[in-house]
Amino acid sequence: MDKVQKNTFSYFWDFGHPVSGLARERNTSGDVVTIGGSGFGLMSIIVGIERQFITRAEGIERFSKIINFLKKADRFHGAFPHWMNGNTGKTIPFSTNDNGADLVETSYLVQGLLTVRAYLNPSNSTELTLINSINEIWEGVEWDWFTKGNQNVLYWHWSPDKAWSMNVQIKGWNECLITYFLAAASPTHSINSNVYHQGWAGNEKMKNGNSYYNINLPLGESFGGPLFFAHYSFLGLDPRNLSDTYANYWDQNTNHSKINLAYCIANPNKFPLYGENCWGLTASDNSNGYSAHSPTNDKGVISPTAAISSIPYTPDASLKALKFYYYILGDKLFKNYGFVDAFDVSNGWFASSFLAIDQGPIILMIENYRTQLLWDLFMSNPEIIVSKNKLGFK
């Protein structure tokens, strides 16, 4: 696990953009940096310091580079774009109409920033300056404005020239619980609880309640969907003993992971290598591009991040997969930046790519499994207590 964490950390440290320090979208992205992946990268620096991959002084210096760059970068009602230029901070369109704010990507960044804020020492003047800068960014996000005229739902995108033309409501169950959690937590632009209950939960429409392979799934689509649903929001947001009227979130994520494992063991499409040692379907590259792989969208592609990042939920099965990927598939999968993004043995394909949003959960969820470090830091923020109470979490 030390070796996997160290090599994966190198993606964010050695390959971080030289000007901004932000995480490149992927290893072929040049100056394109990703806001959500940079939130994961910020948290990985904490792990790097604690695991002594770098010194605290080196980590603080990188935090300063990133945070000072973010303060000058493009924002739209306080929210950042999905992609930006790592030299200039100017928006790079993610698609034709997605050329402005991305509230979900912003929430992954803020999750990282608040975890860093909790890690910093306010009695140190340099670190106190960073705390104040993080507060400036955090308090500047106008979460409530993204209700598009006080509707009881958050909207994912807005741009100065396309306005609300993307028209995507953020509704559960998917990877976006952290977006609503932070929107309710904001000390300056918070949403009320109706936005969560009516918008996100759809007045219980996100409930599932069915069983797959005799495993109950509280929320979401059939078989649970891609496994990143159990990872992105929960890199800082601690699902242990977290519940509300809709679900116990530890049970949700654990059962989602177990269903994904059981599906790969059953292997209805008879793909090679699928089984208890080789499992995990999630969004990743494949030989024809990119797809959100899942039991209902199975293309024969295994993504190492899926099983490994579920290690807090399914430790034995995740460790089996990690050891299989490391020892058996070996150099085909494990490189300088950790595990490559995905592989498809039936087509003889192994990715040459590394993606920030897939590398991040590997290093961070291994750390949460080992020490609960990032969970403990993020949950110590006082605003998170306010949000839990407001939204009815226990």
Side-chain angles (χ1 to χ4, degrees):
M1 285 191 286
D2 285 343
K3 179 67 173 172
V4 171
Q5 284 188 294
K6 187 171 186 178
N7 282 36
T8 308
F9 172 73
S10 295
Y11 181 90
F12 296 100
W13 188 255
D14 297 344
F15 192 60
H17 192 278
V19 174
S20 63
L22 295 169
R24 290 178 168 103
E25 167 73 8
R26 54 173 61 231
N27 57 310
T28 56
S29 289
D31 288 325
V32 180
V33 296
T34 168
I35 286 299
S38 292
F40 303 169
L42 283 164
M43 298 166 86
S44 78
I45 294 171
I46 297 173
V47 177
I49 296 169
E50 292 300 300
R51 292 274 159 205
Q52 299 183 344
F53 304 152
I54 55 171
T55 66
R56 187 177 180 96
E58 288 172 321
I60 297 300
E61 184 179 7
R62 182 66 63 90
F63 286 147
S64 297
K65 177 186 280 193
I66 292 170
I67 291 165
N68 289 330
F69 185 88
L70 289 170
K71 286 170 65 177
K72 301 173 185 175
D74 278 356
R75 278 182 277 177
F76 309 89
H77 292 274
F80 292 89
H82 190 122
W83 285 343
M84 66 170 56
N85 185 301
N87 284 314
T88 65
K90 296 300 180 185
T91 301
I92 295 174
F94 189 68
S95 66
T96 302
N97 292 324
D98 186 0
N99 65 344
D102 185 315
L103 196 64
V104 174
E105 292 287 307
T106 297
S107 67
Y108 300 146
L109 177 67
V110 172
Q111 180 178 217
L113 287 169
L114 291 182
T115 306
V116 170
R117 188 186 73 177
Y119 183 70
L120 294 170
N121 178 6
S123 65
N124 178 290
S125 60
T126 300
E127 297 187 27
L128 178 61
T129 299
L130 288 177
I131 289 171
N132 292 334
S133 294
I134 289 170
N135 286 335
E136 179 184 326
I137 295 169
W138 156 230
E139 294 174 6
V141 183
E142 299 174 25
W143 307 91
D144 55 344
W145 191 83
F146 286 86
T147 58
K148 191 181 172 183
N150 297 316
Q151 297 179 34
N152 282 325
V153 66
L154 289 170
Y155 281 78
W156 202 305
H157 313 90
W158 180 85
S159 90
D161 61 327
K162 309 291 186 180
W164 304 101
S165 60
M166 290 290 289
N167 201 36
V168 179
Q169 294 181 343
I170 305 173
K171 290 186 172 182
W173 176 251
N174 52 40
E175 71 271 32
C176 305
L177 178 61
I178 190 66
T179 309
Y180 276 86
F181 225 91
L182 291 171
S186 171
T188 51
H189 296 281
S190 67
I191 59 169
N192 63 50
S193 60
N194 286 337
V195 182
Y196 174 76
H197 294 294
Q198 295 180 32
W200 169 248
N203 293 324
E204 303 197 354
K205 287 181 182 176
M206 71 175 181
K207 282 191 173 182
N208 184 308
N210 296 312
S211 291
Y212 307 89
Y213 305 103
N214 296 315
I215 302 163
N216 178 260
L217 183 68
L219 305 174
E221 62 190 76
S222 297
F223 297 90
L227 263 181
F228 70 88
F229 290 1
H231 305 149
Y232 291 178
S233 281
F234 300 99
L235 301 174
L237 184 61
D238 185 355
R240 295 173 299 169
N241 303 312
L242 184 71
S243 63
D244 65 2
T245 187
Y246 308 109
N248 175 299
Y249 292 91
W250 182 261
D251 291 345
Q252 167 66 27
N253 294 337
T254 298
N255 289 3
H256 181 188
S257 301
K258 287 180 176 179
I259 290 166
N260 203 287
L261 168 63
Y263 172 84
C264 290
I265 291 172
N267 192 15
N269 296 315
K270 307 301 179 190
F271 288 120
L273 290 189
Y274 276 42
E276 64 177 1
N277 294 319
C278 185
W279 62 279
L281 308 180
T282 194
S284 72
D285 284 349
N286 58 46
S287 59
N288 295 310
Y290 185 90
S291 188
H293 309 107
S294 72
T296 57
N297 180 40
D298 185 7
K299 300 178 183 293
V301 176
I302 296 290
S303 313
T305 185
I308 297 172
S309 301
S310 279
I311 193 169
Y313 313 127
T314 51
D316 292 342
S318 293
L319 279 169
K320 277 185 181 180
L322 186 152
K323 290 176 181 179
F324 181 82
Y325 302 151
Y326 185 87
Y327 289 110
I328 306 303
L329 296 180
D331 292 345
K332 292 180 179 178
L333 271 192
F334 194 70
K335 312 282 185 180
N336 290 342
Y337 293 146
F339 291 107
V340 300
D341 199 49
F343 60 97
D344 175 359
V345 174
S346 58
N347 286 316
W349 176 81
F350 287 80
S352 58
S353 55
F354 303 86
L355 276 65
I357 56 171
D358 289 340
Q359 299 307 96
I362 290 176
I363 181 174
L364 302 178
M365 285 307 231
I366 288 177
E367 193 59 41
N368 280 330
Y369 166 67
R370 299 179 85 175
T371 67
Q372 301 80 54
L373 173 65
L374 305 160
W375 286 341
D376 290 345
L377 286 170
F378 179 78
M379 299 304 288
S380 72
N381 286 295
E383 299 97 325
I384 303 308
I385 307 299
V386 171
S387 184
K388 284 173 65 177
N389 292 334
K390 180 188 287 190
L391 298 181
F393 280 83
K394 300 180 225 174

